[in-house]
Amino acid sequence: MEVKTSLLDNMIGVGDMVLLEPLSEDSFLENLRNRFDHSEIYTYIGSVVISVNPYRSLPIYTSDKVEEYRNRNFYELSPHIYALADEAYHSLRDQDKDQCILITGESGAGKTEASKLVMSYVAAVCGKGQEVNKVKEQLLQSNPVLEAFGNAKTVRNDNSSRFGKYMDIEFDFKGDPLGGVISNYLLEKSRVVKQPRGERNFHIFYQLLSGASDDTLKKLKLHRDFSKYNYLSLDSAVVNGLDDATNFRTVRNAMQIVGFMEDEVQSVLELVAAVLKLGNIEFKPESRCNGTDESRIKDKNDLKEMCELLGIEQSVLERAFSYRTVEAKMEKVSTTLNVAQAYYARDALAKNLYSRLFTWLVTRINESIKAQTKTRHKVMGVLDIYGFEIFEDNSFEQFIINYCNEKLQQIFIELTLREEQEEYVREGIEWTNIEYFNNAIICDLIENNQNGILAMLDEECLRPGTVTDETFLDKLNTVCAEHQHFESRLSKNSKFLNDHSLPHSCFRIQHYAGKVLYRVEGFVDKNNDLLYRDLSQAMFKANHSLIKQLFPEGNPAKVNLKRPPTAGFQFRASVGTLMKNLQTKNPNYIRCIKPNDKKAPHIFTESLVRHQVRYLGLMENVRVRRAGYAFRQAYEPCLERYKMLCKQTWPHWRGPAREGVEVLMANLQVPAEEFSYGRSKIFIRNPRTLFFLEERRRQCLQDLATLIQKIYRGWKCRSHFLLLKKSQIVVAAWYRRYAQQKKYQRIKSATTVVQSYTRGWQARKLLRELKYQKRCEEAATTIAAYWHGTQARMELRRLKQEARNKHAVTVIWAYWQGTKVRREYRKFFRANAGKKIYNFTIQRIMQKYFLGLKSSLPSMSPIDKTWPTRPYLFLDGVHTELRRIFHLWRCKKYRSQFTEEKKAVYEEKLEASEIFKDKKALYPSSVSQPFKGDYLEISKNPKYQKLNSTVDEKVLLADVVNKINRANGKGTARIFLLTKKSVVLADQKTGQVKASVPLPDLSSVSVSTQSDGFFALKLKEGSASAVKGDFLLSSEHLIEIITKLHRIGATDQEQLNIDISDEFLVQFKQDKVCVKFIQGAPKNGNSVSCKRKNNRLLEVSVPTTA
């Protein structure tokens, strides 16, 4: 992309309207059209930027463009909004001047987008850092939130701002943003309850219904269908190019970035939903017995849901819609509301609720983005306010908006002239007074405290008696009849009585932008902005925290009978404050123009643009700039641009820049009346002089370009020749090197061949000598081998002969000995043949028996009683003895596998068998159960840590038993601990020791023969433990407990006596009680039951086992 080095280079049309020649309205519009057709939407009028809305995206807002305009002179590059933003930012940072950027234009001209571009540019060029980036992000993300709640689709603009916004961005001394403050002006709250045809309500309603999740809508009691809500227009509910669902997610994310808490976001959405529900409330008339009319709510479902959302009692709000209380001093009068008044109250509540919510949003955003430090800040203000509005039906809102634009036009003219005059005085140039239209007379007509329209409207609203819009118009006709900028049917001569374009209920004001016809209908009500006190008090009673903040006047403790200020009075005060604020700052202007009413690209409607050029006063602005001097420029850039036009200043001027410019202008023979020298700038009166300089510069540049081309071509040819020469030398050197390398390779190869042949001949000669020597050695070896072989064979034949001789002798001797032995054996065999045969037979039978027994042995289990059958009767004793020996052997093998712990368990099992086998019915069921000992894991369980610490010895058994109460036979759970020295009983819940009995104090243990778990620990008479008597206990592990007690007694050499009987005596303190066990049918399942029969008998009923 080509980078333009000056405003005057390669320009389409004229970039600065001050330089337009000739200057007329037609040439002005033609220049705008020409630039618009070539996508050049920005044009200057001096330091004022004209922005024409392209209604399409242009590639001129990239990060590269930001860097291109960064730290550049305002007129250095082609016109752009970035140039104005950069100039304002650097004036703020470097010159310590507070700045304000005023963006004006009618609805749809692109004011909101222009403010976003200014803020995004400032955010891009200022400092970096985590905290700075957070502040920048919060400032930028405040826009989507305010647009959602304050913008709406209108016939002229799909994203029209329906409120005025002024943001002060605060910077530190380095130019880094610290925070900001937002002020809002006159939200068009009437749009909440009614929208013109082709327009729709504020964006947030459609975004909420389209983008919220199903769960969120369910919580808010809403449906996605727009048609279910009376406050939403259906003809423009869907807008092309607007994705409400995506925008809703953007708004939620922006609120989170700005600093809204999740409960605050939910509260805001609940209020939005309440406004929608409020619009669905409808009323029906009812007649009272006294003849007065009153209203009643038709369907209370929407009212109920709204009250649930806001936490209001339904009856309180229902009464507020039906009655109105008028309070004066000490008197209260309650009157009923008819249907029209009820609808008015409903709409007034909806408007106030939404308007106050919007104000709260702005306040909440200010809390998040305000600067934290209290030092002095530099401030840049950005004003994005509604433009001048002329509709078919203009009401109170348009009147207020146009009044604000009148004030902005007034300050624009004043500040422009003042800036122009200050520059001339600063540069020492004589000032010529400029005639211009001053719209102060129009502002006075509207805001005069005595007979201004707003003052008369307030006076009419406060006047007792019947007040209507017609009485207000009559008053205007009386007071403003002679004003030259005010017209009505009754304020002028009779010629206006026949003016059918001016209805009776209207008045017309000649604004600076043209005549506007206002319909007085609704002026009084909208100015009063009246909300019944009953509704305010009902809202204050809500449990919703945000509602209480929005309606503080509803607090009964703070009843104020003073009438609240009117909307007109509040807006006039806000505008006055805004004007004072703007006058303290250096202004920068962006004038936005809408090219067509179709919101379509590439269409330039001349009549529409002409009207905007007129009411924005752009031609007047150009004339103001040109009344003195059309062009001004500092000496340094002027000399740098035009120094090639004079030989004395080209190519370098060594002296001061002003002297160089004076030499330049004298050399060019420019008439003295066409320019003036200031202190730091040269001022050119007529654009023709500037164009003359530019033409001379263009011709000079062509000559210089030709000279540069000539020098460049000569340099290029010389460079090419030198390159060829250098290349030829390099090529020759490389070739000579290559030729020498080839020659060396040939010589080296020949030498290698000669050497190889010589070495081959020498090797072959040596080989022949070695082969001859080897053959001689092999011949001698062969002769010696043959000789040694002959000698060895002769010796072998001799040795073989000797061996044959010896063998013959041995054989003869063996035969002789055999003959002798056979002779002797025949004699012996005849006497002992029967006994030998018998012994051999027995030996074979025994061998067969043992081999058969080996293959048919039983398993290694000691309880396996099988044994192979006896094959022969004479083996009966051996067979029995072998069976006994095998059983003993496999028992030994089985025992050898036991660990010490397992041996102890089996010893206990064996001892239990000796004690209880065939004596107690419970024993067989305990055989298969291993003795675990510590059933409570008392050493590991933290619950019994304290109990474990009180026991010094190792716990052999820990279990829960039931201690039987002699009074009623019921059991109490106790922890039973057995050690080598004592028996301990403790409370199961607390772990507190209830009794500790040393084992030597036990005399015996008594149990029954039945399958119960009862046992009695009998104590020795006279022992310390016998004071409270014996213990009657019940346990599921009775066999294990008695066995362990018996084993411990055996080790102490004092055998514990175990009495097994179905009836035994137990000593309880001083009395002896008989415990009797009987068999009976089970009553409580299969459990054992114990009952007291009398003072001396406890009967234990044991279920009969099958």
Side-chain angles (χ1 to χ4, degrees), residues 824-871:
E824 290 294 326
Y825 176 75
R826 280 194 294 270
K827 295 178 182 179
F828 182 79
F829 180 77
R830 291 188 186 99
N832 299 298
K835 186 177 179 180
K836 291 283 184 179
I837 293 169
Y838 175 77
N839 290 335
F840 178 79
T841 303
I842 292 299
Q843 184 179 3
R844 292 299 298 168
I845 289 172
M846 292 295 292
Q847 183 180 12
K848 183 178 179 182
Y849 168 70
F850 282 120
L851 291 174
L853 186 62
K854 176 184 178 182
S855 61
S856 60
L857 286 175
S859 67
M860 296 296 291
S861 174
I863 62 174
D864 188 359
K865 296 183 179 181
T866 60
W867 186 250
T869 57
R870 179 189 63 202

Side-chain angles (χ1 to χ4, degrees), residues 173-455:
F173 69 96
K174 298 178 296 183
D176 294 339
L178 298 174
V181 178
I182 299 174
S183 301
N184 65 303
Y185 301 97
L186 191 66
L187 177 72
E188 188 189 11
K189 56 186 176 182
S190 61
R191 181 172 293 272
V192 174
V193 300
K194 183 179 181 182
Q195 305 90 40
R197 182 176 297 277
E199 300 186 4
R200 70 176 195 171
N201 214 322
F202 292 102
H203 292 327
I204 187 61
F205 295 111
Y206 304 93
Q207 292 174 359
L208 174 61
L209 297 180
S210 300
S213 63
D214 293 336
D215 291 339
T216 302
L217 291 180
K218 186 176 180 180
K219 290 179 181 178
L220 298 177
K221 308 180 187 303
L222 296 177
H223 304 279
R224 293 198 187 276
D225 188 2
F226 298 155
S227 62
K228 292 183 179 292
Y229 305 101
N230 297 333
Y231 279 165
L232 301 184
S233 61
L234 299 180
D235 55 342
S236 299
V238 179
V239 181
N240 294 331
L242 280 183
D243 188 346
D244 290 320
T246 303
N247 290 339
F248 179 74
R249 291 190 288 272
T250 303
V251 171
R252 287 294 298 267
N253 182 56
M255 294 179 79
Q256 183 179 1
I257 293 174
V258 170
F260 282 84
M261 306 300 291
E262 191 61 34
D263 57 335
E264 291 178 327
V265 176
Q266 184 64 26
S267 297
V268 169
L269 296 181
E270 287 172 355
L271 262 64
V272 174
V275 172
L276 290 176
K277 292 290 182 184
L278 196 57
N280 288 351
I281 298 176
E282 296 182 347
F283 303 93
K284 59 183 179 181
E286 280 192 6
S287 297
R288 303 183 68 178
C289 56
N290 58 3
T292 59
D293 292 335
E294 63 178 15
S295 62
R296 287 287 181 269
I297 297 176
K298 288 183 180 179
D299 185 2
K300 297 183 181 181
N301 184 51
D302 287 302
L303 178 66
K304 177 184 176 183
E305 292 180 348
M306 175 190 168
C307 291
E308 290 174 355
L309 283 173
L310 302 183
I312 305 174
E313 291 187 17
Q314 183 176 342
S315 58
V316 174
L317 190 58
E318 186 176 356
R319 175 175 175 78
F321 280 135
S322 302
Y323 296 91
R324 178 189 179 188
T325 302
V326 179
E327 191 171 346
K329 293 184 179 180
M330 302 301 293
E331 296 183 1
K332 289 185 179 180
V333 179
S334 181
T335 60
T336 59
L337 300 179
N338 58 31
V339 172
Q341 291 171 331
Y343 276 115
Y344 173 81
R346 180 201 69 176
D347 292 345
L349 178 60
K351 291 187 290 185
N352 274 273
L353 182 60
Y354 191 83
S355 175
R356 297 183 189 200
L357 171 62
F358 186 79
T359 304
W360 179 87
L361 281 172
V362 174
T363 305
R364 180 64 182 82
I365 292 173
N366 285 336
E367 291 177 2
S368 296
I369 67 176
K370 68 179 179 182
Q372 301 300 321
T373 59
K374 296 184 179 180
T375 58
R376 180 184 177 276
H377 306 141
K378 301 176 183 180
V379 178
M380 176 185 290
V382 179
L383 178 65
D384 174 17
I385 204 162
Y386 16 59
F388 200 87
E389 293 187 351
I390 305 176
F391 298 146
E392 292 182 3
D393 187 8
N394 301 292
S395 186
F396 179 73
E397 291 83 4
Q398 283 68 44
F399 175 75
I400 291 295
I401 288 171
N402 293 341
Y403 160 61
C404 180
N405 279 271
E406 286 285 358
K407 296 293 290 183
L408 288 175
Q409 178 67 12
Q410 183 182 21
I411 197 172
F412 170 71
I413 294 297
E414 290 180 358
L415 291 180
T416 302
L417 292 175
R418 186 178 68 187
E419 181 185 2
E420 191 81 6
Q421 182 178 5
E422 287 176 354
E423 184 173 18
Y424 287 154
V425 172
R426 187 170 56 249
E427 293 293 332
I429 303 298
E430 183 180 354
W431 167 253
T432 304
N433 191 31
I434 302 171
E435 295 294 332
Y436 64 95
F437 170 70
N438 190 346
N439 66 336
I441 186 173
I442 303 175
C443 296
D444 185 70
L445 169 65
I446 298 173
E447 66 181 4
N448 188 281
N449 289 328
Q450 299 297 326
N451 53 7
I453 296 177
L454 286 177

Side-chain angles (χ1 to χ4, degrees), residues 480-497:
C480 303
E482 301 300 326
H483 200 286
Q484 57 182 335
H485 292 275
F486 178 84
E487 299 176 6
S488 73
R489 290 294 289 260
L490 303 177
S491 66
K492 287 290 184 178
N493 298 328
S494 58
K495 64 178 182 178
F496 285 103
L497 296 176

